[in-house]
Each structure stands twice: as C-alpha cells, then as structure tokens.
Amino acid sequence: MHWGVSHRGAGEWLAPNEDWLKDEQTQFVEGAARTPFCQEKGHQELTLSLHGDELPPTLVFVLYQPETEAWTQNGRTNFTIPLNWEKRQAELESTDMSWLENEIVEHEMNRNSWTLMHRFNLCHDLLCQSGADEKNLAICYVWLRYSAIRQLVWQRHYNTQPRELSHSIDRLTRLLSSHYEEGSRKGEIILLILSTLGHGNDGQRVRDEILEIMHRHHIKEVSGRFMEEWHQKLHNNTTPDDIDICEAFLEFLYSDGNVARFYEHLESKGVTRDRLKSYDRAINTDPDFVPHLKEGLIHDFQSFLRTLKAVHSGTDLNTAMNAARGDLNEDVWSELSFVENHFNNEGTYFLDLAGKIVASRRKLKDLIRSDPQADSMRNRLFLDLALESFMRVVIERNLHLTKDPCELSRAMSLCLENMQLSFPNQELAACIEHWQKVSSLVNDQSQEWALRAKGVLEQVSRLVSSHADDYYKMLQPFAQNLGLSFNAEKWTIDLFSEEVARSQPTFLVAMLNQQLYAQLREKANLGDWQLISRESAAGKVEELPTLSEVQGKKYEEPTILLVEEVGGDEDIPQGVTAVITPDSIDLMSHAAIRARNSGVLFAVCYSSELLDDLRSKAGQVMSLIPGNGSDIQVEEGCVISGKQAKSIQIDSKGFTKPRFTTWLIKQTDFSRKKVGAKSTNIQIMHSKLPADFALPQSCA
C-alpha cells in the first residue's frame, strides 16, 4: 500500500509524519509511505496503527506491485479511509446543524462529479428555496469562503466549459444583487459573498483567447508541453488558480525564463506544484522560454490576465470600472477618473489618491441608494468592493513610511469615512465629525488637544472591537459546523472569523489607531495602561520573551503571562487569565479578539517601573483589577481552587474613609477630598465650558 494523508479527501495527498507510525515494515519515500501486505491463510492483509493528536481526517492510498511496477487506483482517483472517525463523528454530532448546512454538506462531501459551476448553481437554488435572510446568507458566505481559500475541491470528475461557469456566476451574483439593502447587516453579508466570486462576464473569451495566442505565436498543441497542458485545463475547467498561473508565467517571461520565479509566485499565492499536478487536466511540465517570443507573449498574456480577472475576480479595480462604465453618472466619474488615471502611478501622493477613492465611494453610494435596479446594481456593488479593496492597498503600502501627526490625522479621517461607507453607524458618524474638528487643530499639539484626540480614538476603538466581535459571533458557529464537515484544515476553522474581520475597512482604522495612540499618550502625559480586553484576573505570574513559545500549552493553574513580544496572531493558552505586555497591540489582532471572547485580561503597560515590579513578582500569585479609565490595580494574593480563581481578596488597609461633615455637599464645594472622580470632573467640566453651555446642577 502506497499511502499518505489528506484534509480534503481523495483529491489531496500529503506526506505522513513518521512519528505517527512505529512499524519496521513501513518504508517512508518522498511524499508517501509504503507498507507491504502479509500473506494470511490464503489472503493478504495489512494492519496500520496510527497515533497522534493532529492526525488529518483521511488516509489516501493506491496499491503498488513492486515486481511489475503496476499501480491500482480507485478509478481515476485515490482510495480513502477515514481516520479518527469516532472522534470526528462526536464533533459533528455535538453541532446543531440547520437544514441549509446539512444540504450543503451532503452535496459537497459525496463522491459525485463536482465543479465550481455546480457549487454556484446549488447556492443560487438553495437561496431561492430557503430565502435570502441574514442567517442563510451568513451560512452561504462561510461555505463560499471555504471554497475561495481552497478548502473545497474545485473539480471532481467533470469538465465545465468556461461559458457554463460564467453563466452560473452571473445568475448567482444577479440574485444576490437583487436582495441587496443599503446600510443593513443583510447588505453587508451580500457584499461579503460577492467578494468570494468573480463577475462571470464572457467566459467563452477564456477558451478562445488562449487558442488565439497559441496560434498567433505558432505554439503547437503538443502534449508534454506547459502551454498545451494549461490550454487543456482552461478549456475543461478554468478556475481562479488560472489568474495566479498567468501572473506566474508573466514573472517567468519578465525574468527571461527563470523557472524558480514561476514557482515562487505560485507558492506565494497558495498554488503548489502538487496542486498543479492534481487537476483533472494536470500541469506536470515546467514552462519553456523562447527569447524571440518574449515581448509578444508578455503583451498577449497581460491582456489574457485581464480576461481571466473579468471572469474570476470580483475585487479587481480595472475589471470593475470597465464593467460598470455604462452604469455610472458624470458625478461619480468626476472623482473616479482620477483614480483610474493614477492607480498605477506610484508617484501620486497616497493621501490624495485615498481621498479620491473615498469621494468616489461616497458618490457611488448615493447612486446605489437613488437607483436600486438589479441590472445596474451588480456592477455598482462590484465597483464599490473593488474601491474598498484598493483603499486598503493604498494605505497599507504607505502607512509605514510616515509618522507625521498631520498625515496620520488626515489618514484617520479618510479611513473612518471609508469604514462608515461600508458599515453605516450613527455613533461612527459622530466620531467622524468629532475627529474632523480635533484634527483641524492638529498643529496645536498641546496636552489638551492630545486628550481630546485620545477621547475620540477610544470611542473608535470600542466600535472597531465591537465590529470584530460581532463578526465572530455571527460567523464562527457556522465556520465550526461547516469546517468540520468539510474536513477543512484546523487553522482555517480556528481563524475563520478573525481573518474575515481583518479583511474589512475596520482593520485600516485599527492600524492607524495603534500608530496614533502611542503618540497621543506621550503628548497627553496619560496613564500607564492600555486595556485591550477589560477583565479582572488572578493567577501566578510567569515571565516570557514571546507569547508564541507557549502555543498549545495548557496551564494547570490560573496564570498571568508577562510577555515581552506579542505578534498578534497567537492563541491565548488554556488556563491563562491575563496577558500583560509592553508591546503595542492591534485591536483587531487574533490574540485581541480571542482575549475579549474568552474573558481574558489583555493590557499594554507603558511604565517600565510597573513592568519591573511585575517581573519581580514572577512565581507569586497576583490579582489584576481594572479601575476607572485605563488603570489597573495590582494586588498580591488571591484564593485559587482547582483551575479557577474563585475570588479576589483586596487588602483595604490602603483606603482612608472620609470623615463625616455634612449630609449634603453643593457642587461649588466639590473637591477630591470630599467626593469621587466623577463628581470632581463635573466641576472641572463646568469651568471649561462656555457660558452659554448649561449642565444640570449637581450635589453629593
């Protein structure tokens, strides 16, 4: 038996880990293991005993006869045996799957013929049957995202002509666009689904154009050559992988035939050599370089790349602008023309370009609201998605180049409005108005300006965190159910919702918030803490250089981790009640979202003195209690039972009870010795406000 393992059934083959099997008879060869059968009373049998916590769900194999070098397959594919079946069944049975989820799983996991066309047609039909409400749309998004990140097969024993695929995309995207509601959660999910799809457009051009290129350059249709193998794949089942293959081939041409560049680009996009060989029309051969054809092929394949993106890519800006050209008015084009003329011009000032992107989106949204017709709606929605995606590219590739407060302040204004265009929210609108007033005074740079700016950013932080947490609650249960049923790789299930949240416009705001926050704290002489996740915690203090080195560890007793570096993509280990770090943290990082959803205290400490004091407490049991604002009260000792900190004991000796003087204190007599911080701040606010601003009278 020549065997390997798989996360996705018969269509995938991975090398087994030698630690899973202790068997002298088994030989490990490149990419596989070979175990001989034994003769037993007239028949041959074989027993494998595999052990390991991370065994993939499927064993894949073929039969090999060494003497004759004959191979036996299961038809045209591999044989499969489920591993850890009882454990997987228990996981599946513990989920509460809806009718729609079960229908999807039943069609996806059977062994019948299947392609992207079948998937998109099924999605269309199921939404027509079940109704396009928020829950059903969320389930369909999770399903189609698993497909987009290659956790589901794109072809199984079936050839789909490009025109048939483009027709299935066309009818699904038109159905979704007809249900779009501006400013609603339903509208948000429909845009998420569209981001996993292409435009469809004229799929027949894929089939025709590759032939035209081959004939134009006298490239023969001969088997065993890269171009012919790719041509056969394109004819029989074009997929989004073809965009990556075309880009890789162009890299190969640019580099005068460097095959390593070809495969490096493919690997960076998630297309491995094994994946190329796994297609029903396999690509087994390296591309070959003909010097005198270089310039002509570059010209033709740049054009062919646009054709492929027109079918498969929903967020490509060129494709979206061309498709929507007849569906836009002059008002939109007045802004969009600048973007079209400058989006490849690296010399353009990035904030000017970002400003035009936001202005284009603003006018496009006005047009969408004023004319909600399904035919034009689809192209307008795809254009809005493409502009939203391009905004992220512009900000991310330039943000690290500046620390200037004026530039960061303007970038924040644009990114907040970009977020508001995607997720309309009254509180966010108020934040935008407030931030614009604050940023108009950015040259002041006084302590009071920094305090005001920080106040807005803290409100924005809550909105960003809340948005990420809402996505987690909305999508993760479906991601868990479907991911287990699809045999998806574990990391794609665990990180599903976090990755979705980080792909949204809120992520740009979180990045800018992180940069600005540190500057504002310094100017405002603020406290020593930033709370990422506000929880009380107790446990034994442990000091670590990085959070990554305790991934997968389970602490037997409540533990407070004092960590020098946090990358943001780590998990919070089981048994950890708090993570304290001097490292600046992204509010939408995986670690931050997990901490908030798990009830774990997560805080950044800016004070070297406090950090040194905590380091000196390593091995001791401490309690950390968030107070007013962003402060944390650190206390020694707590009561621990088993794995939980049952209660936190606070030593009250440090508190002095005020001496009684009178039953009632008027506002004019408020002072820190007589009343608390809230009452004191009312008095301070009165003194700051203009005379025509009135606050309610107060007493204590």
Side-chain angles (χ1 to χ4, degrees):
M1 186 167 80
H2 183 88
W3 60 276
V5 292
S6 169
H7 290 281
R8 297 192 289 275
E12 178 185 61
W13 186 296
L14 302 173
N17 189 327
E18 295 186 33
D19 294 336
W20 296 338
L21 179 70
K22 305 300 180 186
D23 178 10
E24 295 180 358
Q25 300 298 315
T26 298
Q27 293 181 329
F28 288 88
V29 296
E30 185 177 356
R34 287 182 181 174
T35 306
F37 283 82
C38 300
Q39 192 72 30
E40 293 286 341
K41 298 179 181 179
H43 69 277
Q44 292 191 40
E45 70 174 42
L46 174 154
T47 302
L48 289 178
S49 182
L50 302 177
H51 305 275
D53 293 334
E54 298 298 329
L55 281 173
T58 306
L59 184 143
V60 289
F61 72 95
V62 295
L63 300 178
Y64 173 60
Q65 176 57 263
E67 290 80 4
T68 62
E69 296 191 354
W71 297 84
T72 304
Q73 289 182 283
N74 182 20
R76 293 173 59 195
T77 187
N78 304 312
F79 295 100
T80 62
I81 299 174
L83 301 175
N84 283 339
W85 185 247
E86 292 180 357
K87 176 184 175 184
R88 184 167 168 273
Q89 280 295 96
E91 288 175 332
L92 289 174
E93 288 168 4
S94 68
T95 64
D96 185 15
M97 299 262 282
S98 66
W99 168 84
L100 181 57
E101 289 169 287
N102 280 311
E103 280 291 305
I104 292 167
V105 171
E106 183 178 337
H107 282 82
E108 285 286 353
M109 303 312 290
N110 67 31
R111 292 288 166 239
N112 296 335
S113 56
W114 196 248
T115 65
L116 289 173
M117 177 195 72
H118 295 97
R119 182 170 295 136
F120 299 151
N121 283 337
L122 177 63
C123 184
H124 175 279
D125 296 344
L126 289 177
L127 283 175
C128 288
Q129 290 176 46
S130 61
D133 60 22
E134 284 184 22
K135 179 183 176 183
N136 292 338
L137 287 167
I139 291 170
C140 286
Y141 169 64
V142 171
W143 170 28
L144 294 181
R145 179 171 165 80
Y146 272 126
S147 171
I149 60 175
R150 301 187 176 98
Q151 296 301 299
L152 293 170
V153 298
W154 288 359
Q155 181 184 31
R156 185 168 60 230
H157 314 324
Y158 195 93
N159 293 330
T160 299
Q161 294 184 27
R163 61 182 175 81
E164 295 172 329
L165 174 65
S166 62
H167 175 68
S168 69
I169 297 172
D170 185 74
R171 67 198 290 262
L172 175 56
T173 53
R174 288 186 186 281
L175 174 70
L176 291 165
S177 301
S178 68
H179 286 282
Y180 179 76
E181 296 173 2
E182 170 67 17
S184 68
R185 176 54 62 91
K186 182 176 175 179
E188 282 182 34
I189 303 170
I190 285 173
L191 287 173
L192 286 174
I193 298 175
L194 289 176
S195 71
T196 69
L197 301 167
H199 285 258
N201 285 3
D202 183 8
Q204 185 62 31
R205 281 298 306 151
V206 172
R207 192 166 187 161
D208 295 341
E209 198 168 336
I210 187 65
L211 267 177
E212 290 168 7
I213 293 172
M214 293 177 72
H215 292 166
R216 188 179 303 124
H217 297 282
H218 307 291
I219 299 171
K220 295 181 180 179
E221 298 175 44
V222 179
S223 61
R225 304 291 292 273
F226 164 78
M227 192 64 70
E228 173 60 14
E229 289 173 348
W230 186 26
H231 158 231
Q232 288 299 322
K233 180 202 178 299
L234 289 163
H235 269 225
N236 291 285
N237 198 49
T238 181
T239 67
D241 279 355
D242 292 313
I243 294 175
D244 302 322
I245 295 171
C246 190
E247 289 176 341
F249 186 62
L250 283 167
E251 288 292 323
F252 169 79
L253 294 173
Y254 297 147
S255 62
D256 292 332
N258 187 335
V259 176
R261 283 275 293 276
F262 175 78
Y263 287 110
E264 282 169 9
H265 183 86
L266 286 175
E267 291 276 354
S268 72
K269 300 293 185 176
V271 182
T272 63
R273 291 183 191 234
D274 287 341
R275 185 170 178 84
L276 294 177
K277 294 175 181 179
S278 72
Y279 301 141
D280 277 16
R281 292 289 192 272
I283 299 177
N284 297 305
T285 313
D286 295 343
D288 48 359
F289 182 68
V290 182
H292 73 273
L293 296 180
K294 173 183 173 180
E295 296 304 325
L297 288 175
I298 286 175
H299 174 272
D300 286 354
F301 277 102
Q302 285 174 338
S303 174
F304 188 52
L305 180 60
R306 290 192 287 273
T307 299
L308 290 169
K309 287 182 175 180
V311 175
H312 296 296
S313 176
T315 56
D316 179 67
L317 188 54
N318 254 331
T319 300
M321 283 194 289
N322 288 332
R325 201 168 291 274
D327 300 316
L328 305 176
N329 57 27
E330 289 185 11
D331 207 24
V332 178
W333 273 113
S334 64
E335 305 292 350
L336 197 58
S337 58
F338 181 92
V339 179
E340 184 179 35
N341 294 329
H342 293 83
F343 78 92
N344 275 331
N345 183 359
E346 295 184 358
T348 307
Y349 181 49
F350 81 101
L351 289 180
D352 289 344
L353 184 53
K356 289 295 184 180
I357 295 170
V358 172
S360 300
R361 289 196 69 203
R362 189 190 309 122
K363 293 188 175 182
L364 180 59
K365 288 287 188 180
D366 290 341
L367 185 60
I368 288 171
R369 282 189 289 268
S370 66
D371 183 22
Q373 298 299 315
D375 281 347
S376 60
M377 179 65 76
R378 184 181 74 136
N379 290 336
R380 291 169 180 174
L381 293 179
F382 270 123
L383 177 57
D384 188 52
L385 274 173
L387 287 167
E388 180 190 277
S389 178
F390 186 51
M391 177 71 173
R392 176 167 180 155
V393 171
V394 170
I395 296 297
E396 284 192 345
R397 74 185 178 193
N398 290 284
L399 192 57
H400 67 286
L401 300 175
T402 181
K403 292 188 177 179
D404 179 68
C406 296
E407 288 191 334
L408 292 175
S409 179
R410 184 182 169 196
M412 177 61 87
S413 292
L414 292 170
C415 288
L416 285 172
E417 188 172 354
N418 186 55
M419 178 178 164
Q420 174 74 350
L421 288 166
S422 297
F423 314 113
N425 178 288
Q426 284 188 330
E427 188 177 356
L428 179 56
C431 287
I432 292 170
E433 185 179 356
H434 196 173
W435 181 257
Q436 288 171 345
K437 290 178 180 177
V438 168
S439 60
S440 68
L441 304 172
V442 67
N443 292 323
D444 177 20
Q445 299 283 306
S446 66
Q447 181 182 13
E448 185 168 338
W449 172 84
L451 283 167
R452 292 184 181 190
K454 176 182 167 289
V456 186
L457 290 188
E458 287 187 342
Q459 193 173 5
V460 169
S461 297
R462 287 193 293 274
L463 285 169
V464 168
S465 301
S466 174
H467 187 267
D469 298 344
D470 285 348
Y471 266 50
Y472 188 91
K473 292 169 187 171
M474 175 178 71
L475 299 176
Q476 196 60 29
F478 303 134
Q480 198 76 19
N481 290 352
L482 293 176
L484 284 170
S485 302
F486 294 155
N487 293 330
E489 293 176 80
K490 187 175 184 298
W491 70 268
T492 64
I493 302 173
D494 294 342
L495 297 179
F496 190 94
S497 300
E498 285 92 328
E499 290 300 310
V500 174
R502 288 170 66 83
S503 70
Q504 302 306 302
T506 44
F507 181 65
L508 292 179
V509 175
M511 287 173 60
L512 278 161
N513 201 322
Q514 185 178 344
Q515 284 212 26
L516 281 163
Y517 200 83
Q519 291 189 11
L520 294 175
R521 291 189 67 84
E522 185 178 345
K523 292 183 185 300
N525 297 319
L526 293 170
D528 302 313
W529 298 92
Q530 179 188 6
L531 294 181
I532 308 295
S533 173
R534 176 184 286 270
E535 302 284 345
S536 294
K540 185 182 288 186
V541 177
E542 180 175 323
E543 187 178 0
L544 290 170
T546 65
L547 186 58
S548 60
E549 64 189 68
V550 289
Q551 293 302 281
K553 182 174 180 178
K554 296 180 180 178
Y555 287 88
E556 296 301 320
E557 58 183 347
T559 303
I560 295 169
L561 292 182
L562 182 58
V563 184
E564 288 299 314
E565 291 183 13
V566 177
D569 57 351
E570 305 93 340
D571 278 316
I572 308 294
Q574 189 174 331
V576 169
T577 60
V579 177
I580 307 298
T581 180
D583 206 6
S584 188
I585 298 300
D586 174 9
L587 291 163
M588 291 187 66
S589 66
H590 171 69
I593 295 172
R594 277 297 164 93
R596 290 192 294 271
N597 282 287
S598 304
V600 172
L601 172 64
F602 197 172
V604 180
C605 182
Y606 295 97
S607 166
S608 56
E609 291 81 5
L610 279 174
L611 285 168
D612 288 340
D613 185 57
L614 277 172
R615 291 186 186 105
S616 71
K617 303 287 197 306
Q620 298 180 35
V621 175
M622 306 295 294
S623 300
L624 304 176
I625 309 149
N628 293 331
S630 298
D631 288 333
I632 292 181
Q633 186 176 336
V634 181
E635 297 288 336
E636 292 187 12
C638 71
V639 177
I640 298 176
S641 175
K643 295 184 180 180
Q644 298 297 322
K646 277 195 169 181
S647 61
I648 299 172
Q649 295 182 335
I650 302 174
D651 182 5
S652 60
K653 293 178 182 177
F655 295 102
T656 304
K657 187 177 181 180
R659 185 174 61 85
F660 175 79
T661 55
T662 181
W663 291 107
L664 185 73
I665 302 173
K666 293 185 293 182
Q667 181 187 309
T668 52
D669 295 326
F670 284 1
S671 71
R672 293 190 182 278
K673 292 183 179 180
K674 297 179 181 179
V675 294
K678 290 181 182 178
S679 302
T680 307
N681 286 338
I682 288 173
Q683 177 72 344
I684 293 170
M685 194 182 296
H686 261 296
S687 65
K688 296 279 186 185
L689 289 174
D692 56 338
F693 269 71
L695 280 180
Q697 290 298 307
S698 305
C699 61

